[in-house]
RNA sequence: GCCCGGAUGGUGGAAUUGGUAGACACGCUGGACUUAAAAUCCAGUGGCCAUUGCGGCCGUGCGGGUUCAAGUCCCGCUCCGGGUACCA
């Protein structure tokens, strides 16, 4: 029989399912290996050919590890809460649970056809109560813990309360929203409501008035990573800044650990770099500038304390509380007007007008604590409220923003750093600030003449001695806003008593998402849960109306897979101690600042609680590149219904039109299919080239319906089979690289599988595998392939694996090798890549057990070695001829033989041989001149 | 602006520590088989010159350098992709 992929794939997929081939359990007798894919959001569009890329890679790796004796955990599930299903629900009234369930069904069908080795008994869906019970549980723990900076871990709030009762805030070093000072007496005298309000200042999950990204179009707030360039990541709607009372997670408390942890994990440099930038650690000094004629003082953060002699003004963020405290009565109106104007500017305008400086003078002056000089205090929105202290000292000579501001408002500019090899210059002639990273100090009192690094040190010392400020580390990373004013998400296990939030008892979990009549806000502007009937506790307290954001459910799913059915714990200690952490995580870079930060934070928190045994969840992470679309175009002559082939377009005035890539093969248009594709083209005429071809143009674009370049894996599987799809996705190029999907070339991979098949079976379907002894040559081919494939899998170089298989099968075909001792190990090698075919061949060669449990073959040194080496012989680095030598020939023998070669004379003639380089086993280079 | 990647035939890509550049495929050209097509198989395929034979020169974005030897290392650019952006 010929290679009948349809039958084979159906047969083995059923076999695997019936025999629970991929089900795994804790097994302390075997080493574990955990391979994880980023679970998908099941969108209505289904999978396109780009989605499985990472899944195929991880599946190959899982199967490879299993063959090498590991107990491999390889689960899959769904990130089922999300905006698209809810938006669809608003439009159609269809419950998002139904939409989601349908989409999941579709995903599952598509995934099953590809032949993955997932243990589906461990499937999780984030929208299911048994699952989100643990999301809610984690939230309660975060509510009941605070971050103790001295212990450098999360600690129970109950202990904090005990401390307050006996010692007040004295001696507390905790991550908090605001530094509070109170005595034990004051604490004990506080009404309950005030105590609760105070505790929110410390809780890791806390409710507070914070500046949030409000997206009116989506009717919800968004986290920082969900906003890009002033618009929402999903949908691209404008986002504005607004103060709202919202739940947040105190991720910033973990900033240092999140940063340090990066050094312990095996992730790509680029991904670590993105996280490093996102965390944005900067070391500097916090300094206090007293305000003249006032008891108020301004605290500022600077990384360049050494430039303090160059300060010519101060700037406050418009949102800063200090503005009202310092503003003089005659400037009050102007400042108020400015702040009102600044508020009106959307985040987008603010960003697009970066160069345009706006601001207002407060009328107040600050006193430079080092020089005792008075400098004016301004308000401007170029200073951000959310970073540092919301106030800065401006050094216009050496900061381009301060410079632009000084020029706009005609403020003085004093140079304090002179780059090496330059002279002090007249700042009034400058077009921009000058760099101050290197150089020496001028106009700077006691640090004059010092180099920048020394000056920084000396200033810091001075500040500490005189108690003007303290050395401080600042992070850009902000707390994650955790409320969404939406329906389709996890309800908060929170109720309100006297306006203060309290968490439900754990025994009440899961708090299930209630039904609502509409998925829209209420008339009073409350979130959709405001429509739920009886949305209160048994005691009658109202329950929180917000729901959790998308990243809530995805922050610990990798832990749940370890023990998905446990109704007592998120994950049992036994399961967690066995599976520990994810050994290999494959997914896209787009989650760098979202999911991958949040889940690291979440995991560290659970680690602090002793719930999990590893501090970092993902040991190794590989980013698969994006599969871009490859669009095809036809060219219509303007004003006609006539289409001209690509290479003739120069002669006409044409409009390029996207054409469905599924009716184009190797850039040749299927004209009949095109006519039927759209009624508009029914009577189209064509100008063909090279006789009868219509050649299409092409371009690389995003894969999307509107570009008509979406390729569905189902179609590829229908035509070529899943094994071909798997192999081809890998053959396309390096895993990490982004590349366009181009169906051209898939034939080559399919042909390879058919050739492989023919090593086992003749045209009439007779097995031709023999028990003859393998030749030296055949063993060499096999063992080289074993070495290459094993090595390449370890390096995640799957594209070169496919090439290596092709070379191997080509060689074996040439050798007419049909020997069991060669073909069986080859089948095992092939099984991670083309599991269906490998199973069938394994079965046909007489095995009863599945090939997934076959032992991975070992490359034997003795079969890899050659008796002789073919040396390339170069003259002055240019290869001129080849020379075959015994592998054990000495350098001298090789030199002699090379010079004695008939072609050598031609290159040495009339020249002197100056040097001969012999690298044994590699190359010979003869230097002549 | 800053940070990180990348650039190799008509196309996707290979070359793991500096050691034969273009493996393996696609496409294309020619041929075999066939009434024909499909399938399969064989040969050729970086550019230029020579092609009667050998062959020769150039060539990994551009310009320099190190080295017996550079796609690979160093210095300076250009272009493309990604991240990030008043972060003090």
């Amino acid at each position: 029989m010929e290679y009948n992929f349809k039958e084979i794939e159906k047969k083995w997929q059923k076999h695997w399912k019936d025999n629970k081939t991929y089900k795994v359990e804790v097994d302390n007798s075997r080493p574990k290996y955990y391979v994880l894919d980023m679970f998908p959001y099941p969108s209505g569009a289904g999978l396109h050919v780009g989605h499985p890329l990472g899944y195929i890679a991880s599946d190959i790796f899982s199967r490879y590890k299993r063959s090498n004796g590991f107990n491999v955990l390889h689960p899959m599930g769904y990130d089922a809460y999300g905006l698209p299903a809810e938006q669809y629900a608003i439009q159609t009234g269809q419950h998002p649970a139904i939409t989601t369930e349908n989409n999941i069904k579709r995903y599952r069908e598509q995934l099953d056809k590809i032949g993955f080795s997932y243990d589906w008994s461990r499937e999780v869906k984030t929208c299911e109560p048994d699952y989100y019970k643990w999301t809610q549980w984690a939230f309660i723990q975060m509510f009941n813990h605070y971050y103790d900076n001295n212990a450098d871990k999360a600690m129970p709030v109950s202990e904090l309360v005990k401390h307050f009762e006996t010692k007040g805030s004295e001696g507390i070093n905790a991550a908090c929203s605001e530094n509070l000072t109170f005595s034990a007496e004051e604490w004990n005298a506080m009404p309950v409501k005030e105590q609760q309000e105070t505790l929110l200042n410390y809780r890791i999950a806390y409710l507070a008035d914070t500046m949030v990204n409000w997206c009116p179009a989506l009717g919800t707030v968004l986290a920082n990573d969900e906003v890009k360039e002033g618009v929402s990541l999903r949908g691209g709607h404008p986002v504005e800044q607004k103060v709202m009372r919202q739940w947040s997670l105190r991720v910033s408390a973990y900033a240092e650990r999140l940063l340090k942890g990066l050094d312990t994990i095996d992730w790509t440099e680029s991904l670590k770099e993105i996280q490093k930038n996102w965390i944005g650690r900067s070391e500097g000094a916090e300094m206090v500038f007293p305000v003249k004629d006032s008891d108020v003082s301004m605290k500022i953060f600077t990384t360049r304390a050494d430039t303090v002699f160059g300060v010519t003004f101060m700037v406050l963020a418009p949102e800063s509380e200090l503005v009202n405290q310092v503003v003089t009565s005659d400037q009050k109106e102007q400042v108020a007007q400015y702040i009102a104007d600044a508020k009106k500017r959307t985040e987008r305008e603010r960003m697009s007008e970066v160069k345009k400086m706006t601001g207002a003078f407060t009328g107040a002056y600050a006193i430079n604590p080092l020089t005792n000089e008075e400098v004016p205090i301004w308000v401007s929105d170029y200073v951000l409220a959310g970073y540092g202290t919301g106030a800065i000292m401006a050094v216009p000579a050496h900061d381009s923003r301060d410079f632009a501001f000084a020029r706009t408002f005609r403020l003085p500019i004093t140079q304090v750093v002179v780059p090496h090899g330059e002279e002090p210059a007249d700042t009034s002639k400058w077009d921009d600030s000058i760099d101050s990273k290197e150089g020496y100090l001028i106009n700077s009192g006691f640090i004059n003449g010092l180099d920048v690094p020394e000056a920084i040190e000396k200033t810091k010392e001075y500040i500490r001695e005189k108690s003007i400020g303290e050395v401080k580390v600042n992070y850009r990373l902000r707390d994650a806003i955790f409320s969404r004013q939406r329906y389709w998400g996890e309800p908060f296990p929170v109720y309100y008593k006297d306006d203060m939030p309290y968490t439900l008892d754990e025994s009440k979990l899961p708090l299930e998402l209630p039904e609502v009549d509409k998925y829209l806000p209420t008339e009073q502007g409350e979130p959709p849960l405001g429509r739920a009937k009886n949305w209160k506790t048994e005691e009658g307290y109202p329950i929180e109306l917000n729901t959790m954001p998308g990243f809530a459910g995805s922050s610990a799913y990798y832990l749940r897979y370890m023990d998905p059915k446990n109704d007592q714990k998120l994950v049992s200690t036994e399961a967690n101690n066995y599976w520990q952490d994810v050994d290999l995580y494959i997914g896209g870079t787009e989650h760098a600042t979202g999911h991958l930060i949040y889940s690291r934070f979440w995991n560290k928190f659970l680690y602090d609680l002793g719930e999990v045994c590893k501090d970092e969840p993902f040991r190794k992470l590989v980013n698969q590149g994006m599969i871009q679309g490859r669009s095809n175009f036809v060219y219509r002559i303007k004003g006609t219904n006539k289409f001209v082939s690509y290479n003739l377009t120069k002669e006409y005035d044409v409009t390029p039109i996207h054409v469905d890539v599924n009716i184009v093969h190797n850039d040749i248009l299927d004209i009949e299919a095109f006519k039927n594709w759209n009624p508009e083209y029914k009577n189209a005429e064509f100008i063909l080239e090279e006789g009868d071809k219509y050649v299409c143009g092409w371009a690389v674009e995003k894969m999307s319906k509107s570009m008509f370049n979406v390729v569905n894996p189902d179609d590829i599987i229908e035509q070529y089979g899943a094994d071909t799809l798997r192999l081809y996705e890998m053959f396309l190029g390096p895993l990490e690289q982004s590349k366009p999907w181009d169906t051209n070339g898939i034939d080559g991979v399919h042909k390879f599988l058919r050739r492989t098949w023919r090593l086992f079976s003749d045209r009439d379907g007779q097995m031709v595998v023999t028990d003859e002894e393998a030749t030296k040559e055949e063993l060499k081919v096999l063992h080289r392939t074993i070495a290459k494939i094993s090595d390449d899998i370890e390096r995640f170089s799957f594209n070169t694996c496919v090439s290596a298989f092709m070379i191997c099968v080509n060689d074996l075909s040439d050798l007419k090798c049909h020997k069991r001792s060669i073909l069986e190990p080859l089948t095992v090698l092939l099984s991670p890549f083309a599991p269906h075919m490998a199973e069938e061949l394994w079965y046909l060669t007489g095995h009863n057990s599945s090939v997934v449990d076959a032992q991975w073959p070992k490359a034997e040194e003795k079969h890899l070695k050659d008796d002789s080496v073919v040396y390339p012989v170069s003259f002055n680095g240019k290869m001129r001829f080849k020379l075959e030598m015994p592998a054990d020939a000495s350098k001298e023998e090789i030199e002699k033989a090379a010079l004695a070669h008939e072609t050598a004379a031609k290159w040495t003639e009339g020249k002197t041989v100056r040097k001969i380089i012999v690298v044994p086993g590699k190359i010979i280079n003869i230097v002549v001149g």
Side-chain angles (χ1 to χ4, degrees):
Chain A
M1 95 210 82
E2 269 292 299
Y3 168 43
N4 185 343
F5 56 83
K6 274 190 191 157
E7 247 172 58
I8 292 171
E9 291 178 359
K10 218 167 103 193
K11 168 180 166 190
W12 289 104
Q13 282 167 12
K14 182 169 188 302
H15 178 94
W16 295 331
K17 197 174 166 191
D18 293 348
N19 290 278
K20 299 186 168 66
T21 306
Y22 302 119
K23 193 167 163 54
V24 289
E25 296 294 348
V26 167
D27 176 358
N28 287 305
S29 69
R30 280 192 299 159
K32 69 98 188 187
Y33 201 89
Y34 187 176
V35 179
L36 183 65
D37 293 304
M38 287 186 186
F39 65 168
Y41 172 77
S43 82
L47 291 174
H48 67 60
V49 103
H51 295 114
L53 182 77
Y55 304 160
I56 294 170
S58 65
D59 197 59
I60 290 169
F61 205 80
S62 301
R63 291 170 179 274
Y64 166 76
K65 278 289 173 185
R66 178 162 177 176
S67 257
N68 277 288
F70 289 87
N71 189 24
V72 178
L73 177 57
H74 188 213
M76 184 45 103
Y78 304 95
D79 189 12
Y81 276 132
L83 282 178
E86 186 166 357
Q87 293 296 71
Y88 188 73
I90 291 168
Q91 284 164 26
T92 63
Q94 162 117 274
H95 197 289
I98 296 170
T99 316
T100 304
E101 202 43 52
N102 288 341
N103 291 349
I104 286 177
K105 221 177 266 164
R106 172 98 195 280
Y107 264 60
R108 178 64 190 274
E109 277 169 19
Q110 288 187 296
L111 290 170
D112 279 346
K113 280 190 202 163
I114 305 174
F116 292 121
S117 62
Y118 294 126
D119 176 359
W120 283 106
S121 73
R122 291 172 183 266
E123 178 189 76
V124 300
K125 298 173 190 165
T126 56
C127 65
E128 284 192 340
D130 327 350
Y131 179 87
Y132 66 67
K133 174 180 179 179
W134 300 103
T135 311
Q136 293 172 334
W137 170 84
F139 176 84
I140 292 176
Q141 307 314 311
M142 289 183 195
F143 183 82
N144 289 328
H145 284 78
Y146 76 102
Y147 198 86
D148 188 310
N149 287 327
N150 291 335
D152 209 10
K153 63 184 277 201
M155 302 282 272
V157 166
S158 56
E159 302 212 353
L160 187 67
V161 171
K162 263 185 227 155
H163 186 105
F164 287 163
E165 284 167 353
T166 53
K167 299 185 189 106
S169 62
E170 176 80 45
I172 289 291
N173 180 11
C176 54
S177 309
E178 203 184 333
N179 271 315
L180 302 176
T181 322
F182 49 84
S183 65
E185 292 72 39
E186 283 171 313
W187 168 263
N188 292 324
M190 278 182 200
V192 172
K193 186 171 175 178
E194 199 181 333
Q195 283 184 340
Q196 287 300 316
E197 185 71 50
T198 305
L199 289 176
L200 286 174
N201 185 51
Y202 298 94
R203 297 183 192 276
I204 287 175
Y206 64 97
L207 188 64
D209 288 318
T210 40
M211 188 64 74
V212 298
N213 305 300
W214 171 253
C215 180
L218 293 173
T220 188
V221 302
L222 297 169
N224 273 357
D225 65 283
E226 293 169 324
V227 180
K228 219 180 133 181
E229 282 156 15
V231 298
S232 68
L233 205 62
R234 280 196 191 257
H237 306 292
V239 169
E240 52 194 59
Q241 299 302 111
K242 194 173 165 180
V243 174
M244 283 176 78
R245 194 158 165 87
Q246 295 292 313
W247 285 102
S248 293
L249 301 185
R250 211 176 293 282
V251 180
S252 61
Y254 284 82
E256 187 64 32
R257 278 169 66 187
L258 288 168
L259 186 66
K260 277 206 187 119
L262 291 174
D263 295 334
T264 68
I265 51 184
D266 185 8
W267 291 16
T268 56
E269 278 313 306
S270 72
L271 192 55
K272 286 191 193 179
E273 202 60 35
I274 293 171
Q275 290 213 342
K276 263 180 211 165
N277 292 340
W278 189 257
I279 296 166
R281 182 185 202 273
S282 61
E283 227 175 83
E286 213 170 66
M287 277 163 83
V288 179
F289 282 59
V291 177
K292 190 191 165 196
D293 301 330
S294 153
D295 25 332
V296 183
S297 60
M298 283 176 72
K299 205 182 247 180
I300 59 99
F301 174 76
T302 177
T303 52
R304 292 299 302 276
D306 59 310
T307 60
V308 68
F309 289 89
V311 173
T312 54
F313 57 99
M314 309 291 285
V315 189
L316 290 168
E319 297 87 355
S320 172
E321 291 168 8
L322 278 177
V323 176
N324 284 327
Q325 296 174 38
V326 303
V327 67
T328 59
S329 50
D330 52 326
Q331 287 298 108
K332 209 160 206 147
E333 203 174 318
Q334 214 189 323
V335 167
Q337 184 60 48
Y338 175 72
I339 292 173
D341 287 348
K343 244 183 210 160
K344 267 193 230 138
R345 292 173 80 194
T346 64
E347 193 71 346
R348 253 202 138 164
E349 282 164 349
R350 234 174 114 147
M351 285 179 170
S352 57
E353 293 168 9
V354 163
K355 291 279 150 337
K356 238 168 84 192
M357 283 295 175
T358 59
F361 177 45
T362 62
Y365 290 83
I367 298 161
N368 186 327
L370 268 80
T371 62
N372 289 323
E373 267 174 47
E374 291 173 13
V375 288
I377 304 172
W378 287 69
V379 183
S380 172
D381 65 1
Y382 87 88
V383 173
L384 301 178
Y387 184 76
T389 58
I392 61 148
M393 63 175 211
V395 185
H398 304 293
D399 181 285
S400 62
R401 297 154 303 177
D402 297 345
F403 184 90
F405 193 83
R407 275 289 143 85
T408 307
F409 295 101
R410 297 168 203 282
L411 294 163
I413 298 171
T414 310
Q415 182 177 16
V416 286
V417 177
V418 182
H420 292 297
E422 284 181 33
E423 294 296 315
D426 179 1
T427 57
S428 67
K429 302 222 163 61
W430 292 5
D431 299 325
D432 201 350
S433 60
I434 65 158
D435 189 73
S436 60
K437 278 192 210 79
E438 280 172 11
Y440 63 93
L441 276 290
I442 57 163
N443 301 327
S444 292
F446 69 95
I447 48 173
N448 263 336
L450 292 181
D451 257 21
V452 167
E454 295 172 70
I456 292 176
E457 271 320 298
K458 197 127 185 210
T459 319
K460 276 187 187 166
E461 247 170 64
Y462 186 87
I463 291 168
R464 233 174 293 148
E465 273 170 27
K466 305 270 172 188
S467 309
I468 300 164
E470 54 182 328
V471 174
K472 224 193 142 172
V473 176
N474 238 302
Y475 300 92
R476 205 186 74 114
L477 182 72
R478 294 217 239 153
D479 290 345
I481 294 160
F482 203 61
S483 324
R484 296 294 180 273
Q485 293 68 41
R486 304 288 299 203
Y487 173 72
W488 191 230
E490 299 87 349
F492 281 82
V494 167
Y495 64 91
Y496 288 87
K497 189 158 97 185
D498 195 18
D499 281 339
M500 276 295 127
Y502 295 88
T503 51
L504 294 178
D505 193 84
E506 285 178 27
S507 65
K508 296 279 192 297
L509 299 183
L511 172 66
E512 293 199 26
L513 186 64
E515 293 302 318
V516 291
D517 57 347
K518 263 195 238 167
Y519 306 100
L520 288 170
T522 65
E523 269 87 69
Q524 296 79 43
E526 284 174 334
L529 290 193
R531 297 172 177 277
K533 290 198 187 93
N534 265 326
W535 193 232
K536 49 192 170 213
T537 63
E538 287 159 22
E539 299 79 20
Y541 295 116
I543 299 177
E544 170 71 56
L545 300 181
N546 287 295
T547 53
M548 296 187 195
F551 66 82
S554 57
S555 289
Y557 77 110
Y558 54 91
L559 291 169
R560 191 62 182 162
Y561 280 140
M562 296 176 183
D563 195 8
K565 302 280 187 314
N566 195 327
D567 59 0
Q568 300 301 309
K569 284 188 89 179
L570 167 65
V571 52
S572 72
T573 309
E574 188 210 1
N576 183 248
N577 279 342
Y578 181 71
W579 297 112
Q580 305 221 352
D581 54 0
V582 175
D583 294 278
L584 173 66
Y585 197 16
I586 295 189
T589 348
E590 65 271 21
H591 298 109
T593 54
H595 164 63
L596 289 174
I597 288 268
Y598 297 129
S599 50
R600 287 182 63 220
F601 152 76
W602 203 285
N603 191 82
K604 282 176 191 297
F605 172 73
L606 295 176
Y607 174 78
D608 287 351
L609 266 56
E611 292 288 331
V612 300
C613 64
K614 288 280 181 169
D615 180 44
E616 284 288 343
F618 314 123
R619 187 196 297 270
K620 182 176 175 70
L621 190 142
V622 174
N623 289 121
Q624 93 268 24
M626 265 211 308
I627 296 275
Q628 297 148 306
R630 185 182 189 276
S631 310
N632 275 116
F633 297 94
V634 290
Y635 301 89
R636 183 163 64 188
I637 301 172
K638 280 186 183 158
T640 70
N641 202 14
K642 215 175 204 178
F643 294 84
V644 60
S645 187
Y646 175 69
N647 295 301
L648 305 172
T649 50
K650 279 182 220 87
E651 298 157 38
Y652 303 88
D653 189 14
V654 295
T655 316
I657 298 169
H658 276 97
V659 59
D660 189 342
V661 294
N662 295 295
I663 57 167
V664 178
H665 304 283
N666 291 330
D667 293 337
I668 310 289
L669 181 69
D670 180 338
I671 291 174
E672 279 316 303
F674 179 69
K675 286 180 172 174
N676 294 326
W677 180 53
N678 186 329
E680 205 185 314
Y681 308 136
K682 192 90 215 161
N683 301 309
E685 293 172 72
F686 301 88
I687 301 175
L688 306 175
E689 63 182 280
E690 284 180 32
D692 51 356
K693 279 190 238 164
Y694 188 96
V695 179
C696 298
W698 61 274
V700 173
E701 296 173 305
K702 196 174 130 60
M703 194 174 276
S704 85
K705 271 187 187 163
S706 62
M707 312 274 192
F708 298 109
N709 59 10
V710 176
V711 181
N712 188 319
D714 299 354
D715 296 341
I716 301 286
I717 291 170
E718 178 64 25
Q719 203 183 341
Y720 296 98
D723 286 339
T724 299
L725 173 76
R726 292 171 63 107
L727 232 35
Y728 186 59
E729 292 235 2
M730 294 299 103
F731 189 59
L732 225 41
L735 182 62
E736 322 81 61
Q737 224 169 72
S738 282
K739 59 230 157 195
W741 175 268
D742 180 357
T743 311
N744 298 350
I746 196 166
D747 288 320
V749 168
H750 189 64
K751 244 187 265 180
F752 154 74
L753 285 177
R754 284 210 303 261
R755 281 169 67 104
T756 307
W757 187 263
R758 278 205 304 279
L759 290 175
F760 293 78
S761 162
D762 68 13
R763 266 158 222 265
D764 306 320
Q766 292 302 309
M767 287 299 282
V768 292
V769 178
T770 69
D771 287 317
E772 273 177 90
E773 202 172 313
T775 64
K776 208 171 161 185
E777 190 64 20
E778 290 163 344
L779 284 167
K780 194 162 92 185
V781 170
L782 173 69
H783 284 267
R784 286 208 169 151
T785 307
I786 296 171
K788 173 82 177 151
I789 299 291
S790 309
D791 194 35
D792 284 0
I793 292 178
E794 297 278 357
R795 290 168 41 228
F796 301 96
S797 177
F798 301 113
N799 55 326
T800 52
C801 286
V802 182
S803 301
F805 278 127
M806 288 173 169
I807 293 169
C808 174
V809 167
N810 287 348
D811 287 350
L812 294 179
S813 301
D814 289 347
L815 293 167
K816 300 197 168 38
C817 172
H818 303 288
K819 294 167 186 164
R820 180 182 298 278
S821 58
I822 300 294
L823 296 184
E824 282 193 353
L826 178 62
T827 307
V828 180
L829 288 182
L830 195 61
S831 67
F833 296 84
H836 310 87
M837 181 195 254
E839 283 280 31
E840 181 69 11
L841 292 173
W842 193 246
Y843 166 76
L844 289 175
T845 47
H847 296 270
N848 298 320
S849 60
S850 168
V851 71
V852 301
D853 288 316
Q855 175 69 40
W856 192 256
K858 292 253 171 317
E860 284 172 44
E861 200 57 40
K862 66 179 173 193
H863 298 306
L864 296 174
K865 270 191 257 160
D866 274 313
D867 297 336
S868 64
V869 182
V870 176
Y871 282 96
V873 182
S874 318
F875 289 80
N876 292 342
K878 283 200 169 84
M879 208 279 286
R880 296 303 179 184
F881 61 85
K882 286 175 186 169
L883 176 70
E884 184 164 358
M885 292 296 290
D888 55 2
S890 71
K891 276 194 181 192
E892 289 71 29
E893 284 171 311
I894 295 168
E895 272 182 31
K896 229 160 132 192
L899 288 171
H901 192 273
E902 50 186 6
T903 323
K906 185 174 154 189
W907 299 101
T908 52
E909 208 182 346
K911 288 173 181 149
T912 322
V913 175
R914 305 209 181 268
K915 201 170 174 184
I916 303 180
I917 289 119
V918 177
V919 182
K922 280 263 160 89
I923 198 171
I924 301 162
N925 190 19
I926 299 168
V927 186
V928 295

